[in-house]
Short mmCIF file of all heavy atoms in Angstrom, two decimals:
data_model
loop_
_atom_site.label_atom_id
_atom_site.label_comp_id
_atom_site.label_asym_id
_atom_site.label_seq_id
_atom_site.Cartn_x
_atom_site.Cartn_y
_atom_site.Cartn_z
N PHE A 1 14.68 -20.53 -8.85
CA PHE A 1 14.90 -19.58 -7.77
C PHE A 1 14.75 -18.13 -8.24
O PHE A 1 14.04 -17.34 -7.63
CB PHE A 1 16.30 -19.78 -7.16
CG PHE A 1 16.66 -18.78 -6.12
CD1 PHE A 1 16.19 -18.91 -4.83
CD2 PHE A 1 17.47 -17.70 -6.43
CE1 PHE A 1 16.52 -17.98 -3.87
CE2 PHE A 1 17.80 -16.77 -5.47
CZ PHE A 1 17.33 -16.92 -4.19
N GLU A 2 15.40 -17.80 -9.34
CA GLU A 2 15.38 -16.41 -9.81
C GLU A 2 13.97 -15.97 -10.21
O GLU A 2 13.53 -14.88 -9.86
CB GLU A 2 16.33 -16.26 -11.00
CG GLU A 2 16.50 -14.84 -11.47
CD GLU A 2 17.54 -14.72 -12.55
OE1 GLU A 2 18.40 -15.62 -12.69
OE2 GLU A 2 17.50 -13.72 -13.27
N ARG A 3 13.28 -16.84 -10.91
CA ARG A 3 11.91 -16.51 -11.32
C ARG A 3 10.99 -16.34 -10.11
O ARG A 3 10.17 -15.41 -10.05
CB ARG A 3 11.37 -17.60 -12.24
CG ARG A 3 10.03 -17.28 -12.83
CD ARG A 3 9.61 -18.35 -13.79
NE ARG A 3 9.68 -19.65 -13.12
CZ ARG A 3 8.91 -20.68 -13.40
NH1 ARG A 3 8.04 -20.57 -14.37
NH2 ARG A 3 9.03 -21.80 -12.76
N ALA A 4 11.15 -17.22 -9.12
CA ALA A 4 10.33 -17.12 -7.91
C ALA A 4 10.64 -15.86 -7.12
O ALA A 4 9.72 -15.21 -6.59
CB ALA A 4 10.54 -18.35 -7.04
N MET A 5 11.90 -15.50 -7.04
CA MET A 5 12.27 -14.28 -6.32
C MET A 5 11.74 -13.03 -7.03
O MET A 5 11.32 -12.07 -6.39
CB MET A 5 13.79 -14.19 -6.17
CG MET A 5 14.36 -15.15 -5.17
SD MET A 5 14.01 -14.68 -3.47
CE MET A 5 15.21 -13.39 -3.25
N ARG A 6 11.77 -13.04 -8.35
CA ARG A 6 11.23 -11.89 -9.09
C ARG A 6 9.72 -11.78 -8.88
O ARG A 6 9.18 -10.69 -8.75
CB ARG A 6 11.54 -12.03 -10.57
CG ARG A 6 12.97 -11.72 -10.88
CD ARG A 6 13.24 -11.79 -12.35
NE ARG A 6 14.63 -11.47 -12.63
CZ ARG A 6 15.18 -11.58 -13.80
NH1 ARG A 6 14.47 -12.00 -14.83
NH2 ARG A 6 16.45 -11.27 -13.97
N ARG A 7 9.05 -12.92 -8.86
CA ARG A 7 7.61 -12.92 -8.60
C ARG A 7 7.32 -12.39 -7.19
O ARG A 7 6.39 -11.62 -6.98
CB ARG A 7 7.05 -14.32 -8.78
CG ARG A 7 5.55 -14.37 -8.63
CD ARG A 7 5.01 -15.74 -8.91
NE ARG A 7 5.25 -16.09 -10.31
CZ ARG A 7 5.33 -17.32 -10.76
NH1 ARG A 7 5.20 -18.33 -9.94
NH2 ARG A 7 5.53 -17.54 -12.04
N MET A 8 8.15 -12.80 -6.24
CA MET A 8 7.98 -12.32 -4.87
C MET A 8 8.21 -10.81 -4.79
O MET A 8 7.51 -10.10 -4.07
CB MET A 8 8.96 -13.04 -3.94
CG MET A 8 8.79 -12.68 -2.49
SD MET A 8 7.17 -13.06 -1.83
CE MET A 8 7.17 -14.82 -1.93
N ALA A 9 9.18 -10.30 -5.55
CA ALA A 9 9.43 -8.86 -5.56
C ALA A 9 8.22 -8.11 -6.13
O ALA A 9 7.85 -7.04 -5.64
CB ALA A 9 10.68 -8.54 -6.36
N LYS A 10 7.60 -8.66 -7.16
CA LYS A 10 6.41 -8.02 -7.72
C LYS A 10 5.27 -8.01 -6.72
O LYS A 10 4.56 -7.01 -6.59
CB LYS A 10 5.97 -8.75 -9.00
CG LYS A 10 6.89 -8.53 -10.17
CD LYS A 10 6.44 -9.34 -11.37
CE LYS A 10 7.44 -9.22 -12.51
NZ LYS A 10 7.07 -10.07 -13.65
N LEU A 11 5.10 -9.11 -5.99
CA LEU A 11 4.05 -9.16 -4.96
C LEU A 11 4.33 -8.15 -3.85
O LEU A 11 3.42 -7.50 -3.34
CB LEU A 11 3.95 -10.56 -4.38
CG LEU A 11 3.32 -11.61 -5.27
CD1 LEU A 11 3.47 -13.00 -4.65
CD2 LEU A 11 1.85 -11.30 -5.47
N GLN A 12 5.58 -8.03 -3.45
CA GLN A 12 5.93 -7.07 -2.41
C GLN A 12 5.70 -5.64 -2.87
O GLN A 12 5.24 -4.80 -2.10
CB GLN A 12 7.39 -7.26 -1.98
CG GLN A 12 7.60 -8.53 -1.19
CD GLN A 12 9.06 -8.84 -0.96
OE1 GLN A 12 9.94 -8.30 -1.62
NE2 GLN A 12 9.33 -9.71 0.00
N PHE A 13 6.03 -5.36 -4.11
CA PHE A 13 5.79 -4.01 -4.63
C PHE A 13 4.29 -3.72 -4.72
O PHE A 13 3.84 -2.61 -4.40
CB PHE A 13 6.45 -3.84 -6.00
CG PHE A 13 6.41 -2.44 -6.50
CD1 PHE A 13 7.16 -1.46 -5.90
CD2 PHE A 13 5.60 -2.10 -7.56
CE1 PHE A 13 7.11 -0.14 -6.35
CE2 PHE A 13 5.55 -0.81 -8.03
CZ PHE A 13 6.30 0.18 -7.42
N ALA A 14 3.51 -4.72 -5.13
CA ALA A 14 2.05 -4.54 -5.17
C ALA A 14 1.50 -4.29 -3.77
O ALA A 14 0.62 -3.44 -3.58
CB ALA A 14 1.39 -5.76 -5.80
N MET A 15 2.02 -5.01 -2.79
CA MET A 15 1.58 -4.78 -1.41
C MET A 15 2.00 -3.40 -0.93
O MET A 15 1.28 -2.77 -0.14
CB MET A 15 2.15 -5.86 -0.48
CG MET A 15 1.42 -7.17 -0.57
SD MET A 15 -0.36 -7.02 -0.26
CE MET A 15 -0.39 -6.45 1.41
N ALA A 16 3.14 -2.91 -1.38
CA ALA A 16 3.56 -1.55 -1.03
C ALA A 16 2.55 -0.54 -1.53
O ALA A 16 2.18 0.40 -0.82
CB ALA A 16 4.95 -1.27 -1.59
N ILE A 17 2.08 -0.75 -2.76
CA ILE A 17 1.09 0.17 -3.32
C ILE A 17 -0.24 0.08 -2.56
O ILE A 17 -0.84 1.10 -2.21
CB ILE A 17 0.89 -0.12 -4.82
CG1 ILE A 17 2.17 0.24 -5.59
CG2 ILE A 17 -0.31 0.65 -5.38
CD1 ILE A 17 2.17 -0.20 -7.03
N VAL A 18 -0.68 -1.14 -2.28
CA VAL A 18 -1.95 -1.32 -1.57
C VAL A 18 -1.87 -0.72 -0.17
O VAL A 18 -2.80 -0.01 0.27
CB VAL A 18 -2.31 -2.83 -1.51
CG1 VAL A 18 -3.44 -3.09 -0.54
CG2 VAL A 18 -2.66 -3.33 -2.89
N LEU A 19 -0.80 -0.98 0.55
CA LEU A 19 -0.67 -0.43 1.89
C LEU A 19 -0.54 1.09 1.88
O LEU A 19 -1.06 1.76 2.77
CB LEU A 19 0.53 -1.06 2.60
CG LEU A 19 0.36 -2.51 3.01
CD1 LEU A 19 1.65 -3.08 3.55
CD2 LEU A 19 -0.74 -2.65 4.04
N THR A 20 0.12 1.63 0.88
CA THR A 20 0.23 3.08 0.77
C THR A 20 -1.13 3.71 0.53
O THR A 20 -1.47 4.73 1.14
CB THR A 20 1.19 3.46 -0.36
OG1 THR A 20 2.47 2.88 -0.08
CG2 THR A 20 1.32 4.95 -0.50
N ILE A 21 -1.92 3.10 -0.34
CA ILE A 21 -3.28 3.61 -0.58
C ILE A 21 -4.10 3.51 0.70
O ILE A 21 -4.85 4.43 1.04
CB ILE A 21 -3.94 2.85 -1.74
CG1 ILE A 21 -3.25 3.21 -3.06
CG2 ILE A 21 -5.43 3.14 -1.82
CD1 ILE A 21 -3.66 2.36 -4.23
N GLY A 22 -3.95 2.41 1.42
CA GLY A 22 -4.67 2.25 2.69
C GLY A 22 -4.28 3.28 3.72
O GLY A 22 -5.14 3.86 4.39
N VAL A 23 -2.99 3.52 3.86
CA VAL A 23 -2.52 4.52 4.83
C VAL A 23 -2.98 5.91 4.42
O VAL A 23 -3.42 6.70 5.26
CB VAL A 23 -0.98 4.45 4.98
CG1 VAL A 23 -0.45 5.65 5.73
CG2 VAL A 23 -0.58 3.17 5.67
N ALA A 24 -2.90 6.22 3.14
CA ALA A 24 -3.34 7.54 2.67
C ALA A 24 -4.84 7.73 2.89
O ALA A 24 -5.28 8.81 3.32
CB ALA A 24 -3.00 7.70 1.19
N ALA A 25 -5.62 6.69 2.62
CA ALA A 25 -7.07 6.78 2.85
C ALA A 25 -7.38 6.94 4.32
O ALA A 25 -8.24 7.74 4.71
CB ALA A 25 -7.77 5.54 2.28
N TRP A 26 -6.69 6.20 5.15
CA TRP A 26 -6.90 6.29 6.59
C TRP A 26 -6.59 7.70 7.08
O TRP A 26 -7.34 8.28 7.87
CB TRP A 26 -6.05 5.24 7.30
CG TRP A 26 -6.17 5.26 8.79
CD1 TRP A 26 -7.29 5.43 9.53
CD2 TRP A 26 -5.11 5.09 9.72
NE1 TRP A 26 -7.00 5.38 10.85
CE2 TRP A 26 -5.66 5.16 11.00
CE3 TRP A 26 -3.74 4.87 9.58
CZ2 TRP A 26 -4.89 5.03 12.14
CZ3 TRP A 26 -2.99 4.72 10.73
CH2 TRP A 26 -3.56 4.81 11.98
N GLN A 27 -5.47 8.25 6.63
CA GLN A 27 -5.11 9.62 7.03
C GLN A 27 -6.12 10.63 6.51
O GLN A 27 -6.46 11.58 7.22
CB GLN A 27 -3.72 9.97 6.52
CG GLN A 27 -2.64 9.24 7.27
CD GLN A 27 -1.28 9.62 6.73
OE1 GLN A 27 -1.15 9.95 5.56
NE2 GLN A 27 -0.29 9.56 7.58
N TYR A 28 -6.60 10.43 5.31
CA TYR A 28 -7.58 11.37 4.75
C TYR A 28 -8.87 11.35 5.56
O TYR A 28 -9.40 12.40 5.93
CB TYR A 28 -7.86 11.02 3.29
CG TYR A 28 -8.95 11.86 2.68
CD1 TYR A 28 -8.69 13.18 2.30
CD2 TYR A 28 -10.23 11.36 2.50
CE1 TYR A 28 -9.68 13.96 1.76
CE2 TYR A 28 -11.23 12.13 1.95
CZ TYR A 28 -10.96 13.43 1.58
OH TYR A 28 -11.95 14.20 1.05
N PHE A 29 -9.37 10.16 5.86
CA PHE A 29 -10.61 10.08 6.62
C PHE A 29 -10.42 10.53 8.06
O PHE A 29 -11.32 11.11 8.66
CB PHE A 29 -11.20 8.67 6.55
CG PHE A 29 -11.73 8.34 5.19
CD1 PHE A 29 -11.24 7.26 4.49
CD2 PHE A 29 -12.70 9.12 4.59
CE1 PHE A 29 -11.71 6.95 3.23
CE2 PHE A 29 -13.19 8.83 3.33
CZ PHE A 29 -12.69 7.74 2.64
N GLU A 30 -9.26 10.30 8.61
CA GLU A 30 -8.97 10.79 9.95
C GLU A 30 -8.95 12.32 9.95
O GLU A 30 -9.44 12.97 10.88
CB GLU A 30 -7.63 10.24 10.42
CG GLU A 30 -7.31 10.51 11.86
CD GLU A 30 -5.99 9.85 12.25
OE1 GLU A 30 -4.96 10.20 11.65
OE2 GLU A 30 -6.01 9.01 13.14
N TRP A 31 -8.40 12.90 8.89
CA TRP A 31 -8.36 14.35 8.76
C TRP A 31 -9.77 14.91 8.59
O TRP A 31 -10.11 15.96 9.16
CB TRP A 31 -7.48 14.69 7.56
CG TRP A 31 -7.37 16.16 7.28
CD1 TRP A 31 -6.74 17.10 8.03
CD2 TRP A 31 -7.94 16.84 6.17
NE1 TRP A 31 -6.86 18.33 7.44
CE2 TRP A 31 -7.60 18.21 6.30
CE3 TRP A 31 -8.71 16.45 5.08
CZ2 TRP A 31 -8.00 19.15 5.38
CZ3 TRP A 31 -9.09 17.41 4.16
CH2 TRP A 31 -8.74 18.74 4.32
N GLN A 32 -10.61 14.21 7.81
CA GLN A 32 -11.98 14.65 7.62
C GLN A 32 -12.77 14.60 8.93
O GLN A 32 -13.57 15.49 9.20
CB GLN A 32 -12.68 13.79 6.57
CG GLN A 32 -12.21 14.02 5.15
CD GLN A 32 -12.56 15.40 4.65
OE1 GLN A 32 -13.60 15.95 4.99
NE2 GLN A 32 -11.70 15.98 3.84
N LEU A 33 -12.52 13.59 9.73
CA LEU A 33 -13.21 13.50 11.02
C LEU A 33 -12.75 14.58 11.98
O LEU A 33 -13.51 15.07 12.81
CB LEU A 33 -12.98 12.13 11.65
CG LEU A 33 -13.72 10.95 10.99
CD1 LEU A 33 -13.28 9.64 11.61
CD2 LEU A 33 -15.21 11.15 11.12
N ALA A 34 -11.49 14.98 11.88
CA ALA A 34 -10.97 16.03 12.75
C ALA A 34 -11.59 17.38 12.41
O ALA A 34 -11.72 18.24 13.28
CB ALA A 34 -9.46 16.10 12.63
N LEU A 35 -11.98 17.56 11.15
CA LEU A 35 -12.60 18.84 10.77
C LEU A 35 -14.02 18.96 11.28
O LEU A 35 -14.52 20.07 11.49
CB LEU A 35 -12.59 18.98 9.25
CG LEU A 35 -11.23 19.20 8.59
CD1 LEU A 35 -11.39 19.28 7.08
CD2 LEU A 35 -10.58 20.48 9.11
N ASN A 36 -14.69 17.86 11.48
CA ASN A 36 -16.10 17.89 11.93
C ASN A 36 -16.21 18.00 13.41
O ASN A 36 -15.61 17.85 14.25
CB ASN A 36 -16.84 16.64 11.45
CG ASN A 36 -17.00 16.67 9.94
OD1 ASN A 36 -17.01 17.74 9.36
ND2 ASN A 36 -17.11 15.52 9.35
#
């Protein structure tokens, strides 16, 4: 149980990073489109 929960926490943290990069990229490109 403990090992599986730690692995799940690592996956959730990795998804946090991926989603943050996605949101930041989306906002950046949305900002670039607003300038044009």
Side-chain angles (χ1 to χ4, degrees):
F1 175 80
E2 186 175 340
R3 186 176 53 150
M5 287 287 283
R6 285 183 179 173
R7 184 176 295 156
M8 184 59 66
K10 288 177 185 177
L11 287 172
Q12 289 171 343
F13 188 70
M15 283 304 297
I17 293 171
V18 168
L19 289 173
T20 301
I21 290 170
V23 168
W26 179 41
Q27 288 180 331
Y28 175 76
F29 290 122
E30 188 177 61
W31 178 69
Q32 288 293 326
L33 288 174
L35 290 178
N36 292 335

